[in-house]
């Protein structure tokens, strides 16, 4: 053992002697040139190329570093030996990231890459207005030389997009509302926000499963349709109209849509908007990947059916009434559906139409407009056409499939214990015309006694069915016919406008002849 240590000491002495000779013969500049030349020779024969992504670029934070860190957090396996756990502000999820000086392999379009998280100590602090951390952090990307163009052109952009998506999903949803009187907050924004934590999802929504599946597919196609909308030359937006009696779940549907897509919600209160210009500014301050909601559009401000008002005026004054109404609408005044009211609101129907489908509606992308109403027949047909309200969703009374969902949500049962009770409920549920809100209240009140809840619900359904059995057609049929009549009125109004225009021209010619 003593001879081993003696030999090792002799070897170290020889190495130290050789180092001193090399240092004395070769100056530092020559040694640096030799090392640089050696590195180039190795790089020529190496099939890999390396890229460094530092955390701080000068004095500014490198956004690409943060994006890579978030992207790799979705790839790191939880079963790893050492992982870093982080939770950002306003985030509801814990993310995993690479530990110091650890590496992970990835692939993109068949190209293999290797990421290494490099952390070293910072030896000296340079003068800066911003103090730098004690550690230098960065990622080293190793790729094959043949894949260089593919990685630099597409892979890094893909990482930035994925990181933005992960960041958005990890953050809490926000519910915005426009400030009272159009005032601005401390940041100069006209919207005030609170965390949105509504628990409604499509799984818990009391609605026919087939209709829910259709809505979910439509939402998914919209969220994934950027290339389609660009190819067809359409603005990346979509409109939904939710209509039906109160208590049928229109607000819950909006919350389920937001939770399904991970979008923020902008709840627009039209009574707090003074004019069309202010409405346009509110639209410009909304973000992409959001749902803009206008609830109870039929009773928020005076936006009546323009065709009805024009047809009524036509009986008294012919075609001139239409042009007077249109002029009043352009001025922000009354008869054409949207005049000024006692609160000083002067939003016009044309301003609202431009808000949903005009040029200014394209100032952002991936946005959904949702209108709700209890009386679809009161809306102007111009609001109902495709391009503004692309999908009309009737929120009906509680149906038998919807009742199954409510029983599962509130009582935790798939079917009542007695098969006869189940058949009786199925027989009277459509005739009773109870809203999901009314059914939920019965189940909540008796949620501790499941049998009592089902029995009481059956009795209420029977009473409601007997009371409403002679009313006539079902509300859903009535609403659908009202919507069809609204569209027909729109077509008849357009034909009437053309006819009145021709008639007015003939009257002008007669007047000219009389003057002559």
């Amino acid at each position: 053992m003593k001879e081993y240590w003696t030999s090792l000491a002799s070897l170290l002495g020889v190495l130290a002697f050789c180092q001193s000779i090399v240092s004395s013969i070769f100056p530092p500049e020559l040694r640096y040139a030799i090392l640089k030349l050696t590195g180039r020779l190795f790089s020529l024969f190496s099939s890999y190329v390396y890229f460094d992504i530092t955390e701080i670029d000068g004095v500014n934070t490198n956004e690409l570093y943060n994006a890579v860190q978030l992207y790799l957090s979705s790839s790191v396996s939880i079963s790893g030996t050492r992982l870093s756990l982080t939770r950002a502000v306003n985030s509801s999820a814990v993310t995993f990231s690479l530990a110091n000086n650890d590496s992970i392999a990835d692939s993109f379009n068949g190209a293999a890459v290797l990421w290494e998280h490099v952390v070293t100590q910072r030896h000296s602090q340079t003068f800066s207005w911003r103090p730098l951390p004690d550690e230098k952090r960065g990622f080293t990307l190793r790729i094959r030389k043949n894949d260089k163009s593919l990685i630099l052109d597409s892979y890094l952009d893909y990482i930035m997009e994925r990181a933005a998506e992960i960041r958005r999903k990890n953050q809490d949803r926000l519910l915005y509302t426009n400030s009272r009187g159009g005032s601005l907050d401390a940041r100069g924004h006209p919207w005030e926000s609170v965390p949105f934590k509504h628990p409604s999802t499509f799984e818990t929504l009391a609605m026919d499963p087939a209709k829910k599946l259709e809505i979910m597919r439509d939402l998914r196609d919209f969220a994934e349709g950027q290339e389609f909308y660009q190819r067809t030359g359409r603005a990346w937006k979509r409109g939904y109209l939710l209509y039906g009696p109160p208590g049928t779940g229109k607000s819950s549907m909006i919350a389920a849509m937001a939770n399904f897509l991970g979008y923020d919600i902008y709840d627009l209160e039209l009574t707090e908007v003074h004019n069309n210009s202010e409405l346009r500014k509110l639209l410009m301050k909304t973000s992409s990947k959001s749902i803009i909601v206008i609830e109870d559009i039929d009773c928020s401000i005076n936006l009546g059916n323009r065709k009805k008002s024009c047809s009524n005026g036509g009986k008294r004054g012919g075609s001139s009434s239409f042009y007077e109404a249109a002029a009043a609408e352009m001025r922000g005044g009354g008869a054409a559906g949207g005049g000024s009211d006692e609160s000083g609101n002067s939003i016009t129907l044309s301003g609202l139409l431009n808000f949903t489908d005009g040029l200014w509606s394209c100032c952002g992308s991936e946005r959904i407009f949702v209108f709700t109403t209890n009386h679809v027949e009161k809306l102007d047909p111009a609001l109902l056409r495709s391009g503004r309200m692309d999908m009309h969703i009737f929120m009906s009374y509680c149906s038998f499939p919807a009742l199954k969902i409510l029983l599962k949500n509130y009582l935790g049962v798939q079917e009542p214990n007695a098969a006869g009770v189940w058949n009786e409920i199925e027989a009277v549920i459509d005739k009773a015309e109870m809203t999901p809100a009314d059914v939920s209240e019965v189940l909540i009140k008796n949620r501790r006694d499941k049998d009592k809840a089902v029995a009481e619900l059956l009795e209420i359904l029977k009473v409601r069915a007997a009371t409403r059995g002679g009313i006539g057609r079902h509300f859903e049929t009535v609403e659908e016919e009202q919507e069809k009549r609204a569209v027909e009125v729109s077509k008849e109004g357009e034909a009437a406008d053309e006819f009145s225009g021709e008639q007015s021209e003939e009257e002008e010619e007669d007047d000219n002849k009389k003057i002559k």
Side-chain angles (χ1 to χ4, degrees), residues 310-321:
C310 292
S311 61
N312 294 334
K315 296 178 181 179
R316 298 187 299 270
S319 61
S320 60
S321 299

Side-chain angles (χ1 to χ4, degrees), residues 87-156:
R87 181 170 180 174
V89 179
N90 295 330
S91 175
S92 58
V94 176
T95 57
F96 303 88
S97 59
L98 284 175
N100 298 346
N101 302 315
D102 200 356
S103 60
I104 184 175
D106 191 22
S107 61
F108 179 75
N109 290 341
V113 301
L114 182 69
W115 289 99
E116 183 180 2
H117 191 205
V118 181
V119 180
T120 58
Q121 293 293 325
R122 191 181 301 275
H123 298 291
S124 60
Q125 282 280 358
T126 58
F127 176 77
S128 174
W129 62 271
R130 173 185 173 185
L132 300 176
D134 296 333
E135 294 179 335
K136 295 174 59 177
R137 299 175 178 271
F139 287 100
T140 298
L141 172 63
R142 191 192 73 176
I143 61 175
R144 293 185 177 275
K145 292 182 178 179
N146 297 334
D147 301 329
K148 183 177 179 180
S149 59
L150 171 65
I151 297 299
L152 295 182
D153 293 341
S154 305
Y155 184 51
L156 297 180

Side-chain angles (χ1 to χ4, degrees), residues 9 46 51 66 77 86 111 148 152 157 159 211 226 233-234 247 254 268 298 312 342 420 430 475 485:
S46 176
F51 295 94
N66 296 331
S77 174
T86 56
K148 183 177 179 180
L152 295 182
D157 292 337
I159 289 177
K211 185 180 293 187
Q226 180 178 11
R234 291 175 59 93
I254 297 173
L268 178 59
D298 57 298
N312 294 334
E342 296 179 357
D430 291 334
F475 186 85
R485 286 201 300 270

Side-chain angles (χ1 to χ4, degrees), residues 38 52 68 78 126 151 160 220 235 238 245 351 358 388 390 418 425 491 493 516:
T38 305
D52 293 329
V68 171
I78 300 178
T126 58
I151 297 299
M160 295 293 289
R220 189 179 295 109
R238 192 155 180 82
R388 288 166 183 150
D390 303 291
I425 292 177
K491 296 179 180 178
K516 293 179 180 179

